């Protein structure tokens, strides 16, 4: 079994910064793509940023230049550094990982439980 645990959300003023982390735990797995999604109230979930195993990154246009995604493969952890936060960034943030659990369980997508980010003065 693989579980994802997020941390780092909270309340921050406009212009502030937060760093989210998501760690995968379990046995006998390898991680391909890691990503962060967000879902604002009344809106669909959207991909914010992703990073491949080789370090290639992708960002939604609205966060380019403000957010940075990184990963620590030794710790099975993905990070999202968020700077210059705006009220429009307020959302529930989820991490997602594409994980290979070997021949018995194959490859699948795993989600964290979500962490709330609120940007408000």
């Amino acid at each position: 079994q693989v579980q994802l645990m997020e941390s780092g959300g909270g309340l921050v003023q406009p212009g502030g910064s937060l760093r989210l982390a998501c760690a995968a735990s379990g046995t006998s797995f390898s991680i391909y793509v890691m990503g962060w999604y967000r879902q604002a109230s009344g809106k669909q979930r959207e991909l914010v940023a992703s990073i491949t195993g080789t370090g290639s990154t992708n960002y939604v246009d609205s966060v380019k230049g403000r957010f940075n995604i990184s990963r620590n493969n030794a710790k099975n952890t993905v990070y999202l550094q968020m700077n210059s936060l705006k009220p429009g960034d307020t959302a529930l943030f989820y991490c997602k990982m594409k994980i290979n659990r070997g021949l018995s369980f194959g490859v699948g997508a795993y989600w964290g439980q979500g962490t709330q980010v609120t940007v408000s003065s």
Side-chain angles (χ1 to χ4, degrees), residues 2-9 19-25 29 31 33-37 51 69-73 75-81 93-99 110-115:
V2 175
Q3 291 184 325
L4 274 57
M5 182 62 67
E6 297 139 343
S7 61
R19 189 191 195 209
L20 305 182
C22 176
S25 62
F29 64 91
I31 305 172
V33 181
M34 297 178 170
W36 287 96
Y37 289 70
I51 183 168
I69 188 170
S70 61
R71 62 190 284 170
N72 183 323
N73 292 328
K75 296 183 177 181
N76 295 321
T77 300
V78 61
Y79 304 95
L80 186 67
Q81 177 66 44
F93 280 70
Y94 298 89
C95 68
K96 177 184 177 182
M97 298 186 186
K98 184 178 180 181
I99 294 175
Y110 294 79
W111 291 86
Q113 81 287 353
T115 184

Side-chain angles (χ1 to χ4, degrees), residues 2-115:
V2 175
Q3 291 184 325
L4 274 57
M5 182 62 67
E6 297 139 343
S7 61
L11 173 65
V12 64
Q13 292 187 340
S17 298
L18 282 175
R19 189 191 195 209
L20 305 182
C22 176
S25 62
T27 59
S28 302
F29 64 91
S30 58
I31 305 172
Y32 297 149
V33 181
M34 297 178 170
W36 287 96
Y37 289 70
R38 66 184 177 186
Q39 187 167 18
S41 179
K43 296 187 177 181
Q44 289 188 328
R45 191 174 299 188
E46 67 170 351
L47 174 64
V48 176
S50 63
I51 183 168
T52 68
T54 57
S56 295
T57 59
N58 180 57
Y59 298 90
V60 66
D61 285 347
S62 60
V63 307
K64 286 180 180 178
R66 299 188 298 123
F67 291 10
N68 183 69
I69 188 170
S70 61
R71 62 190 284 170
N72 183 323
N73 292 328
K75 296 183 177 181
N76 295 321
T77 300
V78 61
Y79 304 95
L80 186 67
Q81 177 66 44
M82 304 184 293
N83 301 321
S84 302
L85 282 161
K86 306 174 181 179
D89 295 316
T90 296
L92 192 59
F93 280 70
Y94 298 89
C95 68
K96 177 184 177 182
M97 298 186 186
K98 184 178 180 181
I99 294 175
N100 185 354
R101 296 180 62 199
L103 293 176
S104 298
F105 300 100
V107 178
Y110 294 79
W111 291 86
Q113 81 287 353
T115 184

